[in-house]
Amino acid sequence: MKEPRGYEYTTDLLVVGCGFSGMWAAMRAKDFLDDVLVVDKGPRDWGGLGGLSGGDMIVKQPDMNLDDLLDDLVYYYDGLADQKLLGQILTQSYDRFMDFENWGHKFVRNDKGELCFIPQRALDYMRFYYYHPYGMGGIDKARLLKRECEKRGVRRLGRVVITDVITDGERVTGAVGFHAQSGKPVYIRARAVLLATNTGGWKPSYHQNTPASEGVSIAWNAGCAMRNFEFWKVWNVPVDFAWEGQTGLLPKGARDAHELAKLFEATSTVLLT
């Protein structure tokens, strides 16, 4: 009897990484595409590093000045900061914050209904808005994102390790990998691939002991043009900075729906989040 060849799938968009970024991106992509498939090397819907975090969230509230927050981040990154990109993330962060609240996520408020927050040391404006019970927000965010993915019909698979994006010239045709438990090969035909395998905090620091960010080497091997490469493994801390805990969340995924709509306008459709 012949051994089965392996697992084979076909999709419009393959999202590698079922963390917060991957699930956000998949949900937004579903607004434009018939079929979106998310795969993750861990258990399905575990939420990636975000699911293991405290789930606190840094948000530009409507009454906050964007330049004040960017000044904090330029200091925090000791000058190595893509201000345009960070500005886009912060500007859209309030909408994502309200999405979570509308879905039932419980950010802590005082008796007056005002949001409670933890100031970040040595930064004048950065604040963590936190969840009740404290430390459990990451689990709840993962649960809510999973529920919203299901509502939109996003397909999700766990235990799938992607090793390479497959290209035909400059055109992406899919990806290959293997099942983490059986070891059987996995073949995925896709019109576009989005790599959402970044670490779950502002900087790598505590996440150096995890196998996150492999999307960088996958994209590099596929011949993608790279930018902001200095941010992947740089740990540059300003003199007066002390860290409260690596439980922050930035809504990195789906920064701009138009980016996803443009997937098929490009010759090489591999995106990094």
Side-chain angles (χ1 to χ4, degrees), residues 134-202:
Y134 186 73
M136 301 299 290
I139 295 172
D140 190 57
K141 279 191 170 77
R143 176 185 65 83
L144 292 171
L145 288 169
K146 169 194 167 184
R147 187 187 71 189
E148 294 302 313
C149 280
E150 288 177 341
K151 283 182 181 178
R152 291 163 172 78
V154 173
R155 291 194 292 156
R156 304 170 323 282
L157 297 171
R159 311 293 189 193
V160 173
V161 180
I162 296 298
T163 58
D164 291 283
V165 168
I166 304 303
T167 59
D168 180 6
E170 291 187 346
R171 180 180 176 81
V172 170
T173 58
V176 295
F178 60 92
H179 191 274
Q181 291 179 321
S182 70
K184 291 181 180 178
V186 174
Y187 308 90
I188 303 174
R189 295 180 184 86
R191 296 171 59 197
V193 176
L194 191 150
L195 300 172
T197 59
N198 194 17
T199 52
W202 290 99

Side-chain angles (χ1 to χ4, degrees), residues 55-57 59 97 100-101 105-109 115 129-132 141:
D56 308 328
M57 194 167 177
V59 181
F97 176 85
F100 277 122
E101 276 219 317
H105 191 74
K106 294 182 175 118
F107 290 103
V108 177
R109 292 180 180 269
L115 284 164
Y129 298 95
Y130 54 98
Y131 176 81
H132 178 76
K141 279 191 170 77

Side-chain angles (χ1 to χ4, degrees), residues 67-85:
D67 287 339
D68 290 336
L69 297 176
L70 288 176
D71 285 346
D72 267 3
L73 291 179
V74 169
Y75 171 76
Y76 175 77
Y77 281 113
D78 203 23
L80 285 176
D82 184 334
Q83 295 181 56
K84 182 178 178 181
L85 176 60

